Amino acid sequence: ILLSFTPSNQVFLKNTIDLPATADIADMDTYLTYLYILDSKESTIYRYPRIDGGFGEKTAWLKEKISISAENSMAINEDLYLAQKNSLTALSRGKINPWQFESSATPIEFSGIFTNSTTASVYILDTTNKRVIQFEKDGKLQQQYTHEKLGSASNFIVDEKNRTIYFTVNMEVLAISVE
């Protein structure tokens, strides 16, 4: 069972989903009417369509073989971005995009990733170096934002409209203005 929340009517619903018995879920995210699940045991990404009461039959989304581990995280807009400890891969329609993400002078340690259908950029949390790195969706490095408390962050989101990074440290939500 998967619990979902609909902001428009503020309702929580139990949804059914058919996962393989051997699945080891590393991460999951949604885009439009689809749920994407990273299965590190099978090294694949499943895509489930939304239906009444839950999700329909899964399809294998990847068209190319890639390595997926329990340390992977992902974020989705029109493309799917897959982050591992020291690498970031963009995938489109199940295939690896040919371009690469720029590197920074200080090597990036990927602790988290954020983008969605309303953001213009892809953001990386690097707790080792206490920063959030902003990339254009085609991999060009735009900005880096540093703050001492980012070294303890466990999750984050970015509100581009209000130029604010929100992140969690222990049970507290903190915010950094990035004017």
Side-chain angles (χ1 to χ4, degrees), residues 28-130:
M28 66 174 68
D29 202 352
T30 60
Y31 182 70
L32 301 175
T33 59
Y34 294 98
L35 171 68
Y36 294 79
I37 294 181
L38 286 179
D39 182 348
S40 63
K41 177 139 185 163
E42 296 298 321
S43 202
T44 193
I45 300 172
Y46 301 118
R47 184 172 85 163
Y48 292 84
R50 184 89 169 109
I51 61 171
D52 277 343
F55 295 90
E57 189 65 31
K58 74 178 180 321
T59 57
W61 184 76
L62 287 174
K63 309 270 188 292
E64 299 176 356
K65 185 97 173 131
I66 62 172
S67 177
I68 295 174
S69 69
E71 292 83 39
N72 278 110
S73 58
M74 71 175 166
I76 307 170
N77 53 38
E78 292 124 19
D79 294 322
L80 186 145
Y81 300 90
L82 187 61
Q84 285 187 301
K85 182 116 176 114
N86 299 99
S87 68
L88 182 60
T89 305
L91 299 120
S92 183
R93 295 186 172 118
K95 295 183 178 181
I96 298 171
N97 283 336
W99 46 264
Q100 299 290 317
F101 282 85
E102 280 186 44
S103 12
S104 70
T106 303
I108 302 168
E109 299 261 347
F110 297 94
S111 308
I113 184 170
F114 175 78
T115 193
N116 62 28
S117 60
T118 63
T119 59
S121 300
V122 176
Y123 297 87
I124 301 300
L125 174 63
D126 177 353
T127 56
T128 302
N129 296 296
K130 302 172 185 159

